[in-house]
Each structure stands twice: as structure tokens, then as C-alpha cells.
Amino acid sequence: MVVKVYGPAYASPKRVLVCLIEKQVEFETVDVDLFKGEHKEPEFLKLQPFGVLPVIQDGDYTLYESRAIIRYYAEKYRDQGTELLGKTIEERGLVEQWLEVEAYNFQPPIYKLVENILFAPILGVPSDAKAVQESDEKIAKVLDIYEERLSKAKYLAGDFFSLADLSHLAFGHYLVNQTGRGNLVRERKHVSAWWDDISNRPSWKKVLDQHKYPV
């Protein structure tokens, strides 16, 4: 049964796509246009009652929340493709720790930038300059912590690429390439090297080649 992934154009579903490619899991995609409100239509809400992306269907199994999905597939196909969870319980703990850091410290301020710099003009609403400034400051502080960590390890959880790194790709791409904030990464030697490493993985390049960001 081929996995069905909804909303491949957007950042969080791309987190799922790159995981599936790393795990060598076959999938197909279903377009969902957020700007047309398709995520709020009754048929979609049957799959995802909160009306957000992504959602996957795997046979008769439905799952939403991108980090839950990538954890599920990394565990389900543990012996297939790239090992993304670590080989020991201690490594797994670090993977989980940095997944939480990404979710609560890295993504939120970048999402604010995306809202105000990229989405606001499309939606015809004013950008919040104060929110942009605060987001810049938050991201800088977060990346200072990453710089310290990455001065001691090649990847966030250690010397191996994992879900912890993979989960940063979707919104890291926005930060480096589409919001004019690439300097925040490039000014930090170890963060810059880490970003070049993970963003040049064939799996991520394949996602970008096949599924362009909407803005």
C-alpha cells in the first residue's frame, strides 16, 4: 500500500516527504491549497479535524502532526533506509531532545517571519514589524545555542544524521533562502557547515525538485 501525503507544497508536509525518502518508503501526494481554504473543507476535516497539514493515509491508518508522522515511519521501518533514531537509548534521547528544541524554539520564530514577510502580502494584510524584529532576535539566540552544540558534534544528536536534523530542513529553507535571513546561519561557522551538510542530502534535493514551495 502506497502512503498518501497531503499538502506537499508546504513546509511541514515536506518534513514527512524527506523522511519517507530517507526510509525508502513509497508514497504519493495529494495537493491541498491553503490559500483557497481547501484545508477547511468538510472532506479534509474528516481526515484532520483541526484543518492543518500534513496528514498521511497508509492503508486504513490515518495520522497527522508532522513530527508524530516522522517518528512513526522512522520506527516502523527501523531496519530500512537511513537509521534516523540512533542506535542506543541515549542517542534516541538526544534525537528526541533536539526534535523538541526544533518544535518549540527553532520553528516558531521562523514561522512568524514567514507569516509577516511572505504570506502577509499574498493575503493582503499588513506585516507586523515588531513581530519580525522579535523573531530575528529569538532566532539569533537559538542559533547561538546551536553553534555551541555543533562545535562539539557534527549533527545535533551526535555524529549521525537523525530526525533531529531532518526536522529542521523545511523551515530552515525558509530562513536561509526565502526570508533574507541567511546571514543568521552564515555568521555561525558550525551552524553554516551543518546546514550545508543536511540541505545537500539527495533526499532533500529530491523534495525541492518535485515539490516547490508556494512562495
Side-chain angles (χ1 to χ4, degrees):
M1 187 69 68
V2 177
V3 178
K4 192 177 293 186
V5 184
Y6 288 77
Y10 301 96
S12 291
K14 284 180 169 57
R15 182 178 286 123
V16 174
L17 298 182
V18 71
C19 176
L20 292 174
I21 294 170
E22 289 282 352
K23 297 306 295 181
Q24 300 173 1
V25 177
E26 189 177 356
F27 65 89
E28 61 185 33
T29 58
V30 180
D31 292 334
V32 179
D33 193 327
L34 298 184
F35 295 107
K36 292 181 179 178
E38 292 177 356
H39 58 305
K40 300 299 183 182
E41 293 181 357
E43 284 303 307
F44 185 81
L45 292 173
K46 290 178 183 178
L47 298 174
Q48 217 296 12
F50 298 101
V52 295
L53 294 169
V55 184
I56 65 96
Q57 288 182 295
D58 192 340
D60 60 0
Y61 183 65
T62 300
L63 189 64
Y64 52 82
E65 294 295 340
S66 62
R67 294 174 192 83
I69 296 169
I70 65 175
R71 285 176 168 108
Y72 169 72
Y73 282 110
E75 188 67 58
K76 182 176 182 178
Y77 294 101
R78 192 90 189 239
D79 298 328
Q80 178 175 312
T82 306
E83 171 55 68
L84 295 171
L85 295 171
K87 295 179 180 178
T88 67
I89 191 66
E90 289 78 16
E91 289 179 349
R92 176 67 179 267
L94 288 172
V95 172
E96 295 291 346
Q97 170 184 279
W98 284 101
L99 272 171
E100 295 295 301
V101 171
E102 184 273 325
Y104 293 105
N105 296 277
F106 182 82
Q107 178 173 315
I110 298 176
Y111 186 78
K112 279 290 182 185
L113 289 180
V114 171
E115 277 188 321
N116 284 283
I117 295 172
L118 300 177
F119 289 170
I122 294 173
L123 298 172
V125 298
S127 176
D128 185 338
K130 183 179 180 183
V132 169
Q133 181 181 350
E134 290 175 348
S135 297
D136 284 339
E137 293 169 355
K138 288 178 182 178
I139 295 165
K141 290 179 181 178
V142 169
L143 292 182
D144 283 342
I145 295 170
Y146 279 50
E147 181 68 7
E148 171 66 17
R149 170 57 180 165
L150 292 166
S151 71
K152 299 174 181 176
K154 184 175 181 181
Y155 300 103
L156 289 170
D159 62 359
F160 61 100
F161 177 78
S162 73
L163 288 186
D165 309 288
L166 176 152
S167 194
H168 287 77
L169 286 164
F171 278 85
H173 180 84
Y174 269 131
L175 181 69
V176 173
N177 298 295
Q178 292 177 257
T179 61
R181 269 48 180 191
N183 62 296
L184 292 174
V185 167
R186 297 307 175 197
E187 290 168 356
R188 294 164 173 83
K189 175 184 175 182
H190 297 98
V191 173
S192 183
W194 166 76
W195 177 254
D196 285 343
D197 183 319
I198 68 172
S199 64
N200 278 294
R201 290 183 72 85
S203 57
W204 181 240
K205 289 187 172 183
K206 185 174 182 179
V207 170
L208 293 179
D209 285 344
Q210 295 182 354
H211 305 284
K212 305 299 183 185
Y213 279 76
V215 290

